[in-house]
Amino acid sequence: MKKWTPLHEAPEPLEGDVVATITGGTIVWFVLFLAQLPFYNWFDDHDHLWWLWTCLAGAGLGLIGIWYVRGRDEAIRRHAAEAEAEAAAATPAPDAAAGGASADDAAAGGAPGDAEAPAVARPAGEAGATA
């Protein structure tokens, strides 16, 4: 008999101050290492020395994590700035001649953009050329 499990969409990832979170965790690991350091001989006698080195490894890996997430945040900011610059470059600035009604349009009784575009002359061999 197959067990029924409902299928759900994955939730959106939580975004927060990742650098602060990793930094806080790194500090906790290092403080735990320093707190256990005076009891080095006790840990050694009871074969629990790995507790001390686990805390030191956590602090060391935390330093690598801080370096990594700072680079990640910088890359995200850089990508957002580039996307914003591309969007700004792709959007044409409003032009007074193209967007506003002129006196000629008002005299002709038409609204801006009602006039037909002028025909473009193309060489006879080019695609889309009219005879």
Side-chain angles (χ1 to χ4, degrees), residues 61-107:
L61 290 172
L63 291 175
I64 294 170
I66 292 169
W67 171 76
Y68 180 81
V69 296
R70 288 182 72 192
R72 177 184 174 267
D73 280 354
E74 180 60 35
I76 289 171
R77 272 192 232 103
R78 187 173 48 247
H79 178 70
E82 288 172 2
E84 185 178 312
E86 287 177 8
T91 305
D95 193 10
S102 66
D104 294 334
D105 290 335

mmCIF file of all heavy atoms in Angstrom, residues 61-107:
data_model
loop_
_atom_site.group_PDB
_atom_site.id
_atom_site.type_symbol
_atom_site.label_atom_id
_atom_site.label_comp_id
_atom_site.label_asym_id
_atom_site.label_seq_id
_atom_site.Cartn_x
_atom_site.Cartn_y
_atom_site.Cartn_z
ATOM 1 N N LEU A 61 35.244 27.684 10.371
ATOM 2 C CA LEU A 61 34.304 27.602 9.254
ATOM 3 C C LEU A 61 33.387 28.816 9.213
ATOM 4 O O LEU A 61 32.958 29.245 8.133
ATOM 5 C CB LEU A 61 33.488 26.313 9.353
ATOM 6 C CG LEU A 61 34.279 25.031 9.082
ATOM 7 C CD1 LEU A 61 33.427 23.807 9.389
ATOM 8 C CD2 LEU A 61 34.788 24.997 7.657
ATOM 9 N N GLY A 62 33.098 29.386 10.366
ATOM 10 C CA GLY A 62 32.305 30.612 10.412
ATOM 11 C C GLY A 62 33.018 31.771 9.739
ATOM 12 O O GLY A 62 32.393 32.587 9.062
ATOM 13 N N LEU A 63 34.341 31.852 9.918
ATOM 14 C CA LEU A 63 35.109 32.904 9.240
ATOM 15 C C LEU A 63 35.029 32.743 7.726
ATOM 16 O O LEU A 63 34.884 33.731 6.991
ATOM 17 C CB LEU A 63 36.566 32.885 9.708
ATOM 18 C CG LEU A 63 36.805 33.319 11.149
ATOM 19 C CD1 LEU A 63 38.273 33.131 11.525
ATOM 20 C CD2 LEU A 63 36.375 34.761 11.354
ATOM 21 N N ILE A 64 35.100 31.505 7.258
ATOM 22 C CA ILE A 64 34.947 31.253 5.823
ATOM 23 C C ILE A 64 33.533 31.629 5.393
ATOM 24 O O ILE A 64 33.332 32.214 4.325
ATOM 25 C CB ILE A 64 35.261 29.772 5.499
ATOM 26 C CG1 ILE A 64 36.732 29.478 5.767
ATOM 27 C CG2 ILE A 64 34.888 29.438 4.064
ATOM 28 C CD1 ILE A 64 37.086 28.016 5.714
ATOM 29 N N GLY A 65 32.545 31.307 6.230
ATOM 30 C CA GLY A 65 31.158 31.649 5.923
ATOM 31 C C GLY A 65 30.938 33.147 5.840
ATOM 32 O O GLY A 65 30.203 33.628 4.976
ATOM 33 N N ILE A 66 31.558 33.906 6.730
ATOM 34 C CA ILE A 66 31.439 35.366 6.690
ATOM 35 C C ILE A 66 31.999 35.895 5.383
ATOM 36 O O ILE A 66 31.374 36.728 4.711
ATOM 37 C CB ILE A 66 32.153 36.015 7.900
ATOM 38 C CG1 ILE A 66 31.415 35.688 9.190
ATOM 39 C CG2 ILE A 66 32.265 37.527 7.721
ATOM 40 C CD1 ILE A 66 32.187 36.060 10.445
ATOM 41 N N TRP A 67 33.158 35.408 4.997
ATOM 42 C CA TRP A 67 33.772 35.823 3.731
ATOM 43 C C TRP A 67 32.844 35.487 2.560
ATOM 44 O O TRP A 67 32.638 36.311 1.659
ATOM 45 C CB TRP A 67 35.128 35.128 3.577
ATOM 46 C CG TRP A 67 35.735 35.307 2.233
ATOM 47 C CD1 TRP A 67 36.361 36.419 1.740
ATOM 48 C CD2 TRP A 67 35.748 34.345 1.187
ATOM 49 N NE1 TRP A 67 36.765 36.194 0.457
ATOM 50 C CE2 TRP A 67 36.403 34.924 0.092
ATOM 51 C CE3 TRP A 67 35.284 33.039 1.074
ATOM 52 C CZ2 TRP A 67 36.601 34.250 -1.103
ATOM 53 C CZ3 TRP A 67 35.479 32.367 -0.111
ATOM 54 C CH2 TRP A 67 36.126 32.967 -1.181
ATOM 55 N N TYR A 68 32.254 34.310 2.582
ATOM 56 C CA TYR A 68 31.390 33.859 1.496
ATOM 57 C C TYR A 68 30.113 34.703 1.396
ATOM 58 O O TYR A 68 29.753 35.161 0.306
ATOM 59 C CB TYR A 68 31.022 32.385 1.695
ATOM 60 C CG TYR A 68 30.121 31.851 0.617
ATOM 61 C CD1 TYR A 68 30.631 31.451 -0.602
ATOM 62 C CD2 TYR A 68 28.751 31.770 0.820
ATOM 63 C CE1 TYR A 68 29.808 30.979 -1.597
ATOM 64 C CE2 TYR A 68 27.915 31.301 -0.163
ATOM 65 C CZ TYR A 68 28.447 30.902 -1.373
ATOM 66 O OH TYR A 68 27.615 30.438 -2.355
ATOM 67 N N VAL A 69 29.411 34.909 2.516
ATOM 68 C CA VAL A 69 28.136 35.627 2.442
ATOM 69 C C VAL A 69 28.335 37.116 2.165
ATOM 70 O O VAL A 69 27.469 37.749 1.554
ATOM 71 C CB VAL A 69 27.256 35.407 3.693
ATOM 72 C CG1 VAL A 69 26.852 33.964 3.823
ATOM 73 C CG2 VAL A 69 27.911 35.899 4.947
ATOM 74 N N ARG A 70 29.461 37.668 2.577
ATOM 75 C CA ARG A 70 29.732 39.068 2.219
ATOM 76 C C ARG A 70 29.932 39.196 0.723
ATOM 77 O O ARG A 70 29.431 40.137 0.098
ATOM 78 C CB ARG A 70 30.949 39.594 2.972
ATOM 79 C CG ARG A 70 30.657 39.821 4.450
ATOM 80 C CD ARG A 70 31.820 40.382 5.188
ATOM 81 N NE ARG A 70 31.994 41.770 4.788
ATOM 82 C CZ ARG A 70 33.050 42.498 5.073
ATOM 83 N NH1 ARG A 70 34.032 41.983 5.771
ATOM 84 N NH2 ARG A 70 33.140 43.733 4.676
ATOM 85 N N GLY A 71 30.649 38.244 0.126
ATOM 86 C CA GLY A 71 30.815 38.241 -1.327
ATOM 87 C C GLY A 71 29.496 38.018 -2.043
ATOM 88 O O GLY A 71 29.222 38.633 -3.077
ATOM 89 N N ARG A 72 28.658 37.154 -1.491
ATOM 90 C CA ARG A 72 27.337 36.878 -2.079
ATOM 91 C C ARG A 72 26.471 38.129 -2.044
ATOM 92 O O ARG A 72 25.830 38.478 -3.043
ATOM 93 C CB ARG A 72 26.656 35.752 -1.310
ATOM 94 C CG ARG A 72 25.264 35.446 -1.777
ATOM 95 C CD ARG A 72 24.640 34.371 -0.877
ATOM 96 N NE ARG A 72 23.259 34.156 -1.220
ATOM 97 C CZ ARG A 72 22.231 34.766 -0.656
ATOM 98 N NH1 ARG A 72 22.435 35.643 0.313
ATOM 99 N NH2 ARG A 72 21.001 34.515 -1.030
ATOM 100 N N ASP A 73 26.430 38.806 -0.913
ATOM 101 C CA ASP A 73 25.638 40.032 -0.808
ATOM 102 C C ASP A 73 26.134 41.099 -1.778
ATOM 103 O O ASP A 73 25.337 41.801 -2.409
ATOM 104 C CB ASP A 73 25.668 40.577 0.615
ATOM 105 C CG ASP A 73 24.722 39.853 1.543
ATOM 106 O OD1 ASP A 73 23.950 38.997 1.060
ATOM 107 O OD2 ASP A 73 24.750 40.136 2.759
ATOM 108 N N GLU A 74 27.440 41.211 -1.914
ATOM 109 C CA GLU A 74 28.007 42.189 -2.848
ATOM 110 C C GLU A 74 27.630 41.840 -4.283
ATOM 111 O O GLU A 74 27.285 42.721 -5.073
ATOM 112 C CB GLU A 74 29.530 42.259 -2.691
ATOM 113 C CG GLU A 74 30.198 43.253 -3.613
ATOM 114 C CD GLU A 74 29.708 44.685 -3.400
ATOM 115 O OE1 GLU A 74 29.414 45.064 -2.263
ATOM 116 O OE2 GLU A 74 29.627 45.429 -4.401
ATOM 117 N N ALA A 75 27.670 40.557 -4.632
ATOM 118 C CA ALA A 75 27.291 40.134 -5.976
ATOM 119 C C ALA A 75 25.809 40.395 -6.239
ATOM 120 O O ALA A 75 25.436 40.813 -7.338
ATOM 121 C CB ALA A 75 27.609 38.650 -6.176
ATOM 122 N N ILE A 76 24.958 40.176 -5.242
ATOM 123 C CA ILE A 76 23.525 40.442 -5.398
ATOM 124 C C ILE A 76 23.292 41.932 -5.608
ATOM 125 O O ILE A 76 22.524 42.341 -6.485
ATOM 126 C CB ILE A 76 22.739 39.920 -4.172
ATOM 127 C CG1 ILE A 76 22.719 38.395 -4.185
ATOM 128 C CG2 ILE A 76 21.322 40.482 -4.145
ATOM 129 C CD1 ILE A 76 22.164 37.775 -2.914
ATOM 130 N N ARG A 77 23.981 42.778 -4.835
ATOM 131 C CA ARG A 77 23.843 44.222 -4.994
ATOM 132 C C ARG A 77 24.338 44.678 -6.363
ATOM 133 O O ARG A 77 23.711 45.510 -7.021
ATOM 134 C CB ARG A 77 24.613 44.962 -3.899
ATOM 135 C CG ARG A 77 23.801 45.176 -2.656
ATOM 136 C CD ARG A 77 24.489 46.156 -1.706
ATOM 137 N NE ARG A 77 24.554 45.518 -0.405
ATOM 138 C CZ ARG A 77 25.633 44.967 0.129
ATOM 139 N NH1 ARG A 77 26.769 45.002 -0.494
ATOM 140 N NH2 ARG A 77 25.586 44.387 1.307
ATOM 141 N N ARG A 78 25.463 44.134 -6.791
ATOM 142 C CA ARG A 78 26.036 44.499 -8.085
ATOM 143 C C ARG A 78 25.090 44.092 -9.224
ATOM 144 O O ARG A 78 24.847 44.857 -10.150
ATOM 145 C CB ARG A 78 27.409 43.839 -8.254
ATOM 146 C CG ARG A 78 28.157 44.267 -9.476
ATOM 147 C CD ARG A 78 29.582 43.720 -9.522
ATOM 148 N NE ARG A 78 29.667 42.301 -9.240
ATOM 149 C CZ ARG A 78 30.245 41.779 -8.158
ATOM 150 N NH1 ARG A 78 30.798 42.566 -7.253
ATOM 151 N NH2 ARG A 78 30.293 40.474 -7.984
ATOM 152 N N HIS A 79 24.521 42.879 -9.122
ATOM 153 C CA HIS A 79 23.591 42.411 -10.151
ATOM 154 C C HIS A 79 22.337 43.281 -10.189
ATOM 155 O O HIS A 79 21.838 43.613 -11.267
ATOM 156 C CB HIS A 79 23.214 40.948 -9.887
ATOM 157 C CG HIS A 79 22.232 40.402 -10.864
ATOM 158 N ND1 HIS A 79 22.557 40.161 -12.176
ATOM 159 C CD2 HIS A 79 20.932 40.072 -10.728
ATOM 160 C CE1 HIS A 79 21.501 39.699 -12.807
ATOM 161 N NE2 HIS A 79 20.496 39.635 -11.946
ATOM 162 N N ALA A 80 21.816 43.662 -9.029
ATOM 163 C CA ALA A 80 20.629 44.513 -8.982
ATOM 164 C C ALA A 80 20.922 45.885 -9.586
ATOM 165 O O ALA A 80 20.091 46.445 -10.307
ATOM 166 C CB ALA A 80 20.145 44.656 -7.547
ATOM 167 N N ALA A 81 22.102 46.433 -9.323
ATOM 168 C CA ALA A 81 22.471 47.736 -9.880
ATOM 169 C C ALA A 81 22.613 47.652 -11.395
ATOM 170 O O ALA A 81 22.189 48.554 -12.123
ATOM 171 C CB ALA A 81 23.767 48.236 -9.248
ATOM 172 N N GLU A 82 23.204 46.554 -11.887
ATOM 173 C CA GLU A 82 23.345 46.380 -13.337
ATOM 174 C C GLU A 82 21.981 46.229 -13.997
ATOM 175 O O GLU A 82 21.726 46.801 -15.057
ATOM 176 C CB GLU A 82 24.209 45.160 -13.646
ATOM 177 C CG GLU A 82 25.667 45.357 -13.342
ATOM 178 C CD GLU A 82 26.480 44.082 -13.469
ATOM 179 O OE1 GLU A 82 25.906 43.024 -13.840
ATOM 180 O OE2 GLU A 82 27.687 44.131 -13.224
ATOM 181 N N ALA A 83 21.087 45.464 -13.380
ATOM 182 C CA ALA A 83 19.750 45.282 -13.934
ATOM 183 C C ALA A 83 18.990 46.600 -13.947
ATOM 184 O O ALA A 83 18.270 46.910 -14.898
ATOM 185 C CB ALA A 83 18.991 44.234 -13.135
ATOM 186 N N GLU A 84 19.156 47.401 -12.907
ATOM 187 C CA GLU A 84 18.499 48.700 -12.842
ATOM 188 C C GLU A 84 19.049 49.637 -13.908
ATOM 189 O O GLU A 84 18.305 50.365 -14.556
ATOM 190 C CB GLU A 84 18.690 49.311 -11.454
ATOM 191 C CG GLU A 84 17.945 50.604 -11.245
ATOM 192 C CD GLU A 84 18.128 51.138 -9.836
ATOM 193 O OE1 GLU A 84 17.962 50.345 -8.891
ATOM 194 O OE2 GLU A 84 18.431 52.328 -9.702
ATOM 195 N N ALA A 85 20.367 49.599 -14.116
ATOM 196 C CA ALA A 85 20.977 50.442 -15.139
ATOM 197 C C ALA A 85 20.519 50.016 -16.537
ATOM 198 O O ALA A 85 20.252 50.863 -17.396
ATOM 199 C CB ALA A 85 22.498 50.377 -15.040
ATOM 200 N N GLU A 86 20.414 48.714 -16.785
ATOM 201 C CA GLU A 86 19.937 48.228 -18.080
ATOM 202 C C GLU A 86 18.480 48.612 -18.295
ATOM 203 O O GLU A 86 18.087 48.985 -19.398
ATOM 204 C CB GLU A 86 20.100 46.712 -18.174
ATOM 205 C CG GLU A 86 21.519 46.265 -18.351
ATOM 206 C CD GLU A 86 21.657 44.748 -18.372
ATOM 207 O OE1 GLU A 86 20.625 44.050 -18.399
ATOM 208 O OE2 GLU A 86 22.797 44.273 -18.371
ATOM 209 N N ALA A 87 17.668 48.530 -17.247
ATOM 210 C CA ALA A 87 16.264 48.900 -17.369
ATOM 211 C C ALA A 87 16.130 50.396 -17.648
ATOM 212 O O ALA A 87 15.279 50.816 -18.433
ATOM 213 C CB ALA A 87 15.500 48.529 -16.112
ATOM 214 N N ALA A 88 16.962 51.197 -17.012
ATOM 215 C CA ALA A 88 16.918 52.639 -17.235
ATOM 216 C C ALA A 88 17.381 52.978 -18.645
ATOM 217 O O ALA A 88 16.843 53.888 -19.283
ATOM 218 C CB ALA A 88 17.771 53.365 -16.209
ATOM 219 N N ALA A 89 18.366 52.244 -19.162
ATOM 220 C CA ALA A 89 18.867 52.500 -20.507
ATOM 221 C C ALA A 89 17.867 52.037 -21.560
ATOM 222 O O ALA A 89 17.752 52.635 -22.630
ATOM 223 C CB ALA A 89 20.207 51.809 -20.716
ATOM 224 N N ALA A 90 17.114 50.984 -21.277
ATOM 225 C CA ALA A 90 16.151 50.449 -22.233
ATOM 226 C C ALA A 90 14.891 51.293 -22.301
ATOM 227 O O ALA A 90 14.205 51.313 -23.311
ATOM 228 C CB ALA A 90 15.793 49.013 -21.865
ATOM 229 N N THR A 91 14.568 51.999 -21.250
ATOM 230 C CA THR A 91 13.377 52.839 -21.229
ATOM 231 C C THR A 91 13.735 54.208 -21.790
ATOM 232 O O THR A 91 14.563 54.908 -21.221
ATOM 233 C CB THR A 91 12.853 53.005 -19.783
ATOM 234 O OG1 THR A 91 12.651 51.717 -19.223
ATOM 235 C CG2 THR A 91 11.574 53.796 -19.751
ATOM 236 N N PRO A 92 13.115 54.588 -22.925
ATOM 237 C CA PRO A 92 13.454 55.904 -23.488
ATOM 238 C C PRO A 92 12.890 57.029 -22.617
ATOM 239 O O PRO A 92 11.829 56.890 -22.011
ATOM 240 C CB PRO A 92 12.777 55.897 -24.857
ATOM 241 C CG PRO A 92 11.690 54.876 -24.757
ATOM 242 C CD PRO A 92 12.154 53.876 -23.735
ATOM 243 N N ALA A 93 13.621 58.108 -22.585
ATOM 244 C CA ALA A 93 13.179 59.270 -21.814
ATOM 245 C C ALA A 93 12.021 59.926 -22.534
ATOM 246 O O ALA A 93 11.974 59.944 -23.764
ATOM 247 C CB ALA A 93 14.334 60.254 -21.656
ATOM 248 N N PRO A 94 11.057 60.461 -21.810
ATOM 249 C CA PRO A 94 9.943 61.144 -22.472
ATOM 250 C C PRO A 94 10.467 62.320 -23.277
ATOM 251 O O PRO A 94 11.270 63.115 -22.790
ATOM 252 C CB PRO A 94 9.048 61.611 -21.333
ATOM 253 C CG PRO A 94 9.656 61.126 -20.065
ATOM 254 C CD PRO A 94 10.935 60.440 -20.386
ATOM 255 N N ASP A 95 10.017 62.405 -24.526
ATOM 256 C CA ASP A 95 10.487 63.448 -25.432
ATOM 257 C C ASP A 95 9.348 64.431 -25.666
ATOM 258 O O ASP A 95 8.227 64.034 -25.959
ATOM 259 C CB ASP A 95 10.922 62.805 -26.747
ATOM 260 C CG ASP A 95 11.718 63.759 -27.614
ATOM 261 O OD1 ASP A 95 12.079 64.839 -27.114
ATOM 262 O OD2 ASP A 95 11.983 63.416 -28.784
ATOM 263 N N ALA A 96 9.632 65.699 -25.564
ATOM 264 C CA ALA A 96 8.585 66.708 -25.721
ATOM 265 C C ALA A 96 8.036 66.699 -27.137
ATOM 266 O O ALA A 96 6.849 66.870 -27.355
ATOM 267 C CB ALA A 96 9.141 68.091 -25.373
ATOM 268 N N ALA A 97 8.889 66.477 -28.148
ATOM 269 C CA ALA A 97 8.433 66.494 -29.528
ATOM 270 C C ALA A 97 7.585 65.262 -29.838
ATOM 271 O O ALA A 97 6.618 65.339 -30.586
ATOM 272 C CB ALA A 97 9.624 66.561 -30.472
ATOM 273 N N ALA A 98 7.933 64.113 -29.265
ATOM 274 C CA ALA A 98 7.209 62.887 -29.591
ATOM 275 C C ALA A 98 5.940 62.738 -28.761
ATOM 276 O O ALA A 98 4.959 62.176 -29.236
ATOM 277 C CB ALA A 98 8.106 61.679 -29.369
ATOM 278 N N GLY A 99 5.940 63.228 -27.558
ATOM 279 C CA GLY A 99 4.810 62.964 -26.673
ATOM 280 C C GLY A 99 3.798 64.080 -26.585
ATOM 281 O O GLY A 99 2.653 63.853 -26.249
ATOM 282 N N GLY A 100 4.173 65.284 -26.893
ATOM 283 C CA GLY A 100 3.260 66.398 -26.707
ATOM 284 C C GLY A 100 2.558 66.774 -28.000
ATOM 285 O O GLY A 100 3.037 66.527 -29.095
ATOM 286 N N ALA A 101 1.404 67.374 -27.902
ATOM 287 C CA ALA A 101 0.666 67.829 -29.076
ATOM 288 C C ALA A 101 1.257 69.146 -29.540
ATOM 289 O O ALA A 101 1.541 70.036 -28.754
ATOM 290 C CB ALA A 101 -0.808 67.999 -28.733
ATOM 291 N N SER A 102 1.444 69.249 -30.838
ATOM 292 C CA SER A 102 1.985 70.486 -31.385
ATOM 293 C C SER A 102 0.845 71.337 -31.923
ATOM 294 O O SER A 102 -0.292 70.901 -32.031
ATOM 295 C CB SER A 102 2.993 70.168 -32.501
ATOM 296 O OG SER A 102 2.320 69.559 -33.586
ATOM 297 N N ALA A 103 1.165 72.540 -32.319
ATOM 298 C CA ALA A 103 0.150 73.433 -32.876
ATOM 299 C C ALA A 103 -0.370 72.884 -34.193
ATOM 300 O O ALA A 103 -1.528 73.057 -34.541
ATOM 301 C CB ALA A 103 0.732 74.826 -33.058
ATOM 302 N N ASP A 104 0.492 72.212 -34.966
ATOM 303 C CA ASP A 104 0.067 71.635 -36.246
ATOM 304 C C ASP A 104 -0.960 70.540 -36.023
ATOM 305 O O ASP A 104 -1.913 70.401 -36.787
ATOM 306 C CB ASP A 104 1.262 71.065 -37.015
ATOM 307 C CG ASP A 104 2.231 72.157 -37.443
ATOM 308 O OD1 ASP A 104 1.786 73.303 -37.591
ATOM 309 O OD2 ASP A 104 3.430 71.842 -37.625
ATOM 310 N N ASP A 105 -0.755 69.703 -34.963
ATOM 311 C CA ASP A 105 -1.714 68.639 -34.671
ATOM 312 C C ASP A 105 -3.061 69.226 -34.288
ATOM 313 O O ASP A 105 -4.113 68.737 -34.701
ATOM 314 C CB ASP A 105 -1.213 67.745 -33.535
ATOM 315 C CG ASP A 105 -0.031 66.888 -33.958
ATOM 316 O OD1 ASP A 105 0.090 66.623 -35.173
ATOM 317 O OD2 ASP A 105 0.763 66.492 -33.069
ATOM 318 N N ALA A 106 -3.042 70.281 -33.511
ATOM 319 C CA ALA A 106 -4.284 70.894 -33.068
ATOM 320 C C ALA A 106 -5.010 71.526 -34.253
ATOM 321 O O ALA A 106 -6.229 71.454 -34.370
ATOM 322 C CB ALA A 106 -4.011 71.926 -31.981
ATOM 323 N N ALA A 107 -4.255 72.152 -35.165
ATOM 324 C CA ALA A 107 -4.858 72.790 -36.332
ATOM 325 C C ALA A 107 -5.433 71.746 -37.272
ATOM 326 O O ALA A 107 -6.457 71.961 -37.914
ATOM 327 C CB ALA A 107 -3.829 73.657 -37.049
#
